Amino acid sequence: MTEVAKNGTWGNDRPIGVAVLGMGNVGTEVVRILRDHADDLRSRVGAPVVLRGVAVRSLDKDRGLPADLLTTDAAALVAREDVDLVVEVIGGIDPARGLILAALNAGKSVVSANKALLADYTGELAAAAERNRADLYFEAAVAGAIPVVRPLIQSLSGDRVNRVVGIVNGTTNFILSAMDETGADYSATLAEATRLGYAEADPTADVEGYDAAAKAAILASLAFHTRVTAADVYREGISKITAEDLETASAVNCTVKLLAICERVAGEPSPEEGGKERVSVRVYPALIPRKHPLAAVSGAFNAVVVEAENAGRLMFYGQGAGGAPTASAVLGDLVMAARNKFYGGRAPGESVYAELPIAPIGDTPTRYHVNLQVEDRPGVLAKVAGEFAKHGVSISTVRQEGHGEGARLVVVTHHAVESALADTVAALAEMASVTSVTSVLRLEGTEE
């Protein structure tokens, strides 16, 4: 007698059909795991999980699969009646968006690793999933193998998350770690990262912070129950970081990391918002003390720290990219979606009830580390300190390095809003006694 699932429709002899869209590094590993571990997956899900087909760009390449599993017609594969679950690992916006919507509108669950798409279109995709009682999973879209999406959605759903900060791009972390360890400049280290395969031929998405910004938007949306898109994220990359910046950081027992920071900030009173709490989401290179747990994250690894009101500080660490690690996250989602098919369950839907406003970067407070080339004569320090005070930026420490024409002042501030610091730097650049403002880096991870 056929055993029937709880929803009365799915017997354990009926397979769950899977379509995989894309067969790059991640897709190849997903297909391998599906085929090599079919028996384990059946035991974990409750029903056979069967690969129905893989959509690829070209049939010319030998992919080690039977020809009848490969197709260049992704839309037809998604539409097949024997496909119950779609794994999208194509990347980019189109055609991925249309294919995912087609799957969801047909009541088929979707697992995606597409951070660029989810950063801007989660609302549209989640609405389609809700209308059609389908699942949308995307653990692999942020930080590869590191389980951080599901803890935010499920494990911490009864808590209040106040801050999420992390290293979510392996390419930039490899470059900054190497610069810190070797003293090499940015260009040389980027070239080495490219040679080793850590950086793409066109590294713009990574080194200019676009990849991290997309991930930050996803994390902020989940943490604060507010829809955040990539356009809401303030973004700076690492291409202007110099060997001197790393040397300066080391002198104060710090290092430099590209951080994705998502946090609640106090709202400014206004007729429209009435002082409502806001969300700040930003990506930029920042100094962090070497004693901070993120400072020890080296190479291409990722780490995310979540600070919750009751759970306290939680840290998630591991491989943030690569075919096998990312495929691990995809398969975790696939098992969850397949179980829901078998047992008649549903994944949690999008939660945006809070609708918190986004705080502009100009209103966001942090600390700063400012390097100035100055004339080495009496009264210069007083004038520089006066300019900081004039704009409401409180100084924590000042030190002078060198003498004569090579004199340099290093100023570390207390917390100040971005707009006040920007006004201060603009004024300093106009001072006759200041030769140049050589760098301005934010300082994160301090108790002050």
Side-chain angles (χ1 to χ4, degrees), residues 216-308:
I218 295 170
L219 290 172
S221 297
L222 300 176
F224 308 127
H225 305 278
T226 293
R227 190 170 294 154
V228 179
T229 69
D232 296 318
V233 182
Y234 176 81
R235 174 195 54 78
E236 290 181 20
I238 67 165
S239 58
K240 295 181 181 177
I241 297 297
T242 65
E244 289 73 20
D245 289 329
L246 271 300
E247 183 180 344
T248 298
S250 184
V252 291
N253 203 28
C254 289
T255 188
V256 178
K257 297 291 185 183
L258 183 72
L259 299 181
I261 302 170
C262 319
E263 64 182 349
R264 299 175 186 267
V265 296
E268 293 293 328
S270 69
E272 296 82 13
E273 297 168 4
K276 186 177 183 180
E277 187 177 55
R278 296 183 293 175
V279 170
S280 171
V281 192
R282 57 217 196 253
V283 167
Y284 48 57
L287 275 71
I288 55 172
R290 291 196 184 275
K291 64 181 180 181
H292 192 281
L294 291 177
V297 179
S298 62
F301 278 74
N302 284 189
V304 178
V305 176
V306 178
E307 297 176 11

Side-chain angles (χ1 to χ4, degrees), residues 9-49:
T9 61
W10 214 289
N12 67 355
D13 58 348
R14 177 184 171 188
I16 295 171
V18 177
V20 176
L21 310 182
M23 204 172 176
N25 290 338
V26 177
T28 296
E29 290 299 315
V30 169
V31 169
R32 178 188 64 78
I33 296 169
L34 280 171
R35 289 164 61 83
D36 291 352
H37 299 282
D39 290 342
D40 283 344
L41 292 172
R42 175 175 184 157
S43 298
R44 294 170 191 175
V45 170
V49 179

